[in-house]
Amino acid sequence: MLSAGWQFLSNRRQVVYTGKTESDNITLQFGFSRGSVLGPRVFVQYAEDVEDIFWRHGVHHHLFADDMQGYCSGRLNDVPAIVAWLESCIVDICTWCSAKRLQLNAYKTKLLWFGSASQLRQLPSQNSTIQVN
């Protein structure tokens, strides 16, 4: 089934219309045209192997058409290990993105800590952020 997706990704052209104005007809070198029926499905097939990275690092995850979420849970004394797991996972995801001609958007990458107010006050300040890129 994946071969059909790759075929869809080759020899594609794109024109953009704004009102009565039409752009040049250009060949797409990467990816697929937006608004296509197959686009989201093909992208998921293209990107689903990122799950292997999450699994290898022991990071739970959710994948969406154009987004991914990784998360871990543990006790307060596990925080340094959790940060290390997430940072290591992010390094591998950045490498994976580069290989797929994608880019992890560091500005949209967020770290959220959940816990009671007293637990969050005990969070070591050096572990309140993670390094991306």
Side-chain angles (χ1 to χ4, degrees), residues 60 71-75 78 82 85:
H60 302 282
Y71 59 96
C72 297
S73 63
R75 299 180 186 277
D78 296 332
I82 290 171
W85 292 335

Side-chain angles (χ1 to χ4, degrees), residues 10-113:
S10 62
N11 300 317
R12 304 299 295 175
R13 300 188 63 74
Q14 177 174 307
V15 175
V16 177
Y17 297 94
T18 303
K20 295 182 180 181
T21 306
E22 179 179 322
S23 73
D24 292 337
N25 191 331
I26 61 169
T27 300
L28 296 176
Q29 295 179 10
F30 312 107
F32 45 88
S33 57
R34 297 187 128 236
S36 68
V37 174
L38 289 176
R41 181 176 180 178
V42 171
F43 180 79
V44 169
Q45 290 174 332
Y46 181 68
E48 70 185 347
D49 63 328
V50 75
E51 285 188 305
D52 296 338
I53 297 169
F54 285 110
W55 288 329
R56 189 169 59 246
H57 289 278
V59 175
H60 302 282
H61 59 281
H62 295 289
L63 301 180
F64 303 95
D66 64 350
D67 196 7
M68 60 183 89
Q69 296 176 348
Y71 59 96
C72 297
S73 63
R75 299 180 186 277
L76 192 57
N77 58 353
D78 296 332
V79 167
I82 290 171
V83 169
W85 292 335
L86 291 173
E87 286 181 337
S88 179
C89 187
I90 288 171
V91 167
D92 286 353
I93 288 174
C94 286
T95 302
W96 174 88
C97 285
S98 293
K100 295 280 190 172
R101 295 185 175 160
L102 300 170
Q103 183 176 11
L104 181 68
N105 188 335
Y107 296 109
K108 290 184 176 182
T109 303
K110 305 290 184 202
L111 173 65
L112 299 174
W113 290 108

